[in-house]
């Protein structure tokens, strides 16, 4: 049996757990805090693979092993690796209080509506985009992905960072509130456990989540009447439905809505969990996007300017939606295609814009497809009868980056 004990956030390791252990594995601070039984071998965790090999030797000889871990070892912890290697049935897990629960407890906030993401050994950009999209996020940090890097990436996003270090250590524990800029300017060392990223204007509002992940909305491709718009200048819900299917917005993604108009696509992508930047050149359009985002309870960053110039300085997106179809469309599609990591979707009313947009996508290494959408809606007539009312046809073009063409895209 391998006994896995969660410690480090205030709970001591029971003496009976260590008694008789032939091998004790853990971080240096965990091992230094316990008294090992006589004759037990001690392994300080560094690279995981060599430690697992040593554990396998003891397990093969039916010798008892104890693994000390931080907080709840089944929560982004070592239980996954141990279960995959030795089987869940061989583990006796004694969870402690997770670092996330402890950090929220320290500042007196509930966390059943928080989104938890790990940046330990993972791409920091995913954590950054989750922080941009949601008002209450816990980020488990790692080397090269700590509060300084997180703060630098977030910049002026209107967030507060709560940096919780050495949780459970009566002498070293620190919990500090800082702005992203302040976090970026400091050297935090290596003792960071968890960083909470909060939009304090919404952190107590309650976010509907399932197992720590935002619940998907019960519907999408919302009716145009659910958005403020000018003279029906809005992406119709039939077009929006297919565009959303091709964009695939999800938690941890960054989506651009270029030529956003009312921002209906931007808002829908944000409702599905993505971080969103809406680019719009009309001042009244900018105000409408802000109003629609507020009305639907989502966070959309709005950039006032004309593409492609307004795209300079923005982080590279996972997916891009481009609306409209002016003379600058091929140049805009070309810039977006060179920077998008996964897909670009273009909506056009003018058929003669299609060849140039398609060429811009294929020349950037995308596979390209499209469809002409022509829909007719039920419309009432006098006498309790119904007719079909045609909407304006729209050509929807989409490009998907092939694996070979993604090699040059920043990961």
């Amino acid at each position: 049996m391998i006994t896995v004990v969660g410690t480090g956030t205030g709970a001591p390791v029971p003496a009976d757990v260590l008694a008789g252990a032939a091998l004790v594995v853990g971080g240096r601070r965990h091992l230094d805090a316990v008294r090992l039984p006589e004759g037990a071998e001690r392994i300080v965790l560094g690279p995981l693979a060599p430690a697992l090999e040593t554990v396998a030797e003891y397990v093969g000889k039916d010798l008892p092993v104890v693994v000390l871990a931080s907080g709840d070892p089944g929560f982004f912890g070592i239980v996954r690796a141990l279960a995959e290697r030795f089987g869940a049935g061989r583990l006796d897990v004694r969870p402690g209080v997770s670092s996330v629960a402890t950090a929220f407890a320290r500042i007196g906030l509930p966390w059943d509506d928080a989104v938890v993401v790990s940046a330990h050994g993972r791409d920091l950009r995913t954590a950054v985009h989750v922080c941009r999209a949601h008002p209450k996020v816990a980020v488990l940090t790692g080397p090269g992905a700590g509060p300084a890097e997180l703060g630098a990436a977030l910049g002026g996003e209107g967030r507060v960072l709560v940096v919780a270090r050495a949780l459970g250590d009566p002498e070293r524990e620190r919990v500090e509130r800082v702005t992203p800029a302040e976090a970026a300017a400091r050297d935090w060392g290596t003792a960071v456990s968890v960083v909470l990223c909060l939009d304090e204007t919404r952190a107590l509002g309650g976010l509907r989540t399932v197992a720590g992940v935002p619940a998907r909305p019960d519907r999408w491709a919302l009716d145009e009447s659910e958005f403020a718009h000018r003279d029906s200048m809005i992406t119709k819900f039939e077009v929006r439905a297919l565009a959303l299917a091709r964009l695939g917005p999800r938690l941890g993604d960054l989506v651009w809505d270029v030529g956003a108009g009312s921002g209906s696509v931007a808002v829908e992508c944000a409702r599905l969990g993505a971080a969103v930047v809406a680019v719009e050149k009309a001042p009244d359009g900018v105000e409408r996007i802000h109003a629609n985002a507020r009305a639907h309870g989502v966070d959309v960053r709005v950039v006032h300017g004309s593409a492609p110039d307004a795209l300079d300085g923005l982080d590279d997106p996972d997916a891009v939606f481009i609306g409209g179809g002016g003379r600058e469309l091929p140049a805009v599609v070309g810039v977006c295609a060179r920077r998008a990591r996964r897909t670009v979707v273009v909506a056009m009313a003018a058929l003669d814009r299609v060849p140039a947009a398609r060429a811009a996508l294929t020349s950037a290494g995308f596979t390209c497809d499209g469809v002409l959408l022509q829909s007719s809606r039920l419309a009432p007539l006098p006498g309790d009868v119904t007719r079909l009312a045609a909407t304006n046809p729209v050509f929807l073009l989409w490009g998907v980056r092939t694996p070979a063409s993604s090699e040059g895209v920043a990961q």
Side-chain angles (χ1 to χ4, degrees):
M1 186 64 71
I2 303 170
T3 303
V4 189
V5 183
T7 184
T9 52
V13 178
D16 64 301
V17 171
L18 290 171
L23 173 68
V24 181
V25 181
R28 186 176 300 279
R29 69 186 179 98
H30 300 320
L31 292 171
D32 289 345
V34 299
R35 186 169 189 159
L36 301 187
E38 187 176 345
E41 182 180 354
R42 155 182 159 143
I43 293 182
V44 178
L45 272 178
L48 189 57
L52 291 178
E53 291 302 321
T54 303
V55 170
E57 294 176 12
Y58 279 75
V59 169
K61 300 174 182 176
D62 286 329
L63 295 173
V65 176
V66 173
V67 178
L68 305 179
S70 294
D72 182 349
F75 186 70
F76 291 98
I78 198 169
V79 165
R80 184 183 303 278
L82 292 171
E84 289 174 351
R85 178 67 182 271
F86 303 106
R90 195 180 287 274
L91 304 182
D92 175 13
V93 181
R94 314 282 184 91
V97 180
S98 73
S99 58
V100 173
T102 304
F104 276 110
R106 294 292 190 265
I107 62 171
L109 277 183
W111 68 286
D112 55 320
D113 57 347
V115 182
V116 182
V117 59
S118 176
H120 189 89
R122 295 170 170 85
D123 192 343
L124 180 64
R125 72 184 302 275
T126 298
V128 170
H129 296 324
V130 174
C131 289
R132 285 172 170 158
H134 300 285
K136 186 187 293 184
V137 180
V139 182
L140 302 174
T141 64
E149 292 82 3
L150 184 62
L154 287 173
E157 294 286 341
R159 297 295 192 264
V160 170
L161 300 184
V162 179
V163 182
R165 296 182 288 167
L167 289 169
D169 187 319
E171 296 180 357
R172 298 169 55 237
E173 179 180 302
R174 297 290 184 275
V175 178
E176 302 176 69
R177 290 175 182 261
V178 293
T179 65
E182 290 169 339
R186 285 180 56 177
D187 180 0
W188 296 93
T190 59
V192 173
S193 173
V194 61
V195 176
L196 309 182
C197 182
L198 307 174
D199 176 353
E200 294 193 307
T201 65
R202 297 193 294 153
L204 282 174
L207 175 70
R208 193 161 58 94
T209 64
V210 177
V213 176
R216 293 178 67 87
D218 55 3
R219 59 197 179 96
W220 47 92
L222 302 175
D223 192 89
E224 295 92 81
S225 63
E226 300 193 51
F227 299 95
H229 55 88
R230 177 176 61 84
D231 300 329
S232 297
M233 297 295 290
I234 183 174
T235 304
K236 301 302 186 287
F237 70 77
E238 300 95 328
V239 178
R240 215 177 319 122
L242 182 55
L244 290 168
R246 292 295 178 261
L247 290 168
R250 60 195 176 195
L251 186 70
D253 275 356
L254 174 63
V255 179
W256 289 353
D257 182 0
V258 180
S262 66
S264 61
V265 173
V267 168
E268 296 248 34
C269 288
R271 292 178 75 240
L272 290 166
V276 184
V277 176
V279 179
E280 172 57 37
K281 64 182 179 180
D284 58 338
V286 169
E287 292 304 314
R288 270 189 290 274
I289 297 168
H290 281 304
N292 285 324
R294 286 193 301 268
H296 289 277
V298 295
D299 197 342
V300 173
R301 178 187 173 192
V302 185
V303 174
H304 182 200
S306 298
D309 292 344
L311 306 177
D312 293 344
L314 299 180
D315 289 346
D316 288 344
D318 295 280
V320 183
F321 178 78
I322 304 171
R327 291 194 180 99
E328 72 280 0
L329 181 67
V332 173
V333 174
V335 170
C336 292
R338 287 192 292 274
R339 296 184 61 185
R341 297 162 63 91
R342 188 175 69 237
T343 187
V344 175
V345 177
V346 189
M348 296 161 284
L351 186 61
D352 52 354
R353 304 287 185 206
V354 173
R358 186 180 184 190
L361 289 172
T362 55
S363 64
F366 284 76
T367 58
C368 194
D369 206 345
V371 65
L372 179 65
L373 294 176
Q374 301 182 89
S375 62
S376 295
R377 300 179 180 181
L378 296 178
L381 285 174
D384 198 25
V385 294
T386 304
R387 69 180 179 92
L388 288 174
T391 61
N392 290 331
V394 174
F395 200 98
L396 202 69
L397 194 70
W398 59 87
V400 178
R401 187 176 293 282
T402 59
S405 68
S406 66
E407 292 176 1
V409 179
Q411 300 295 317

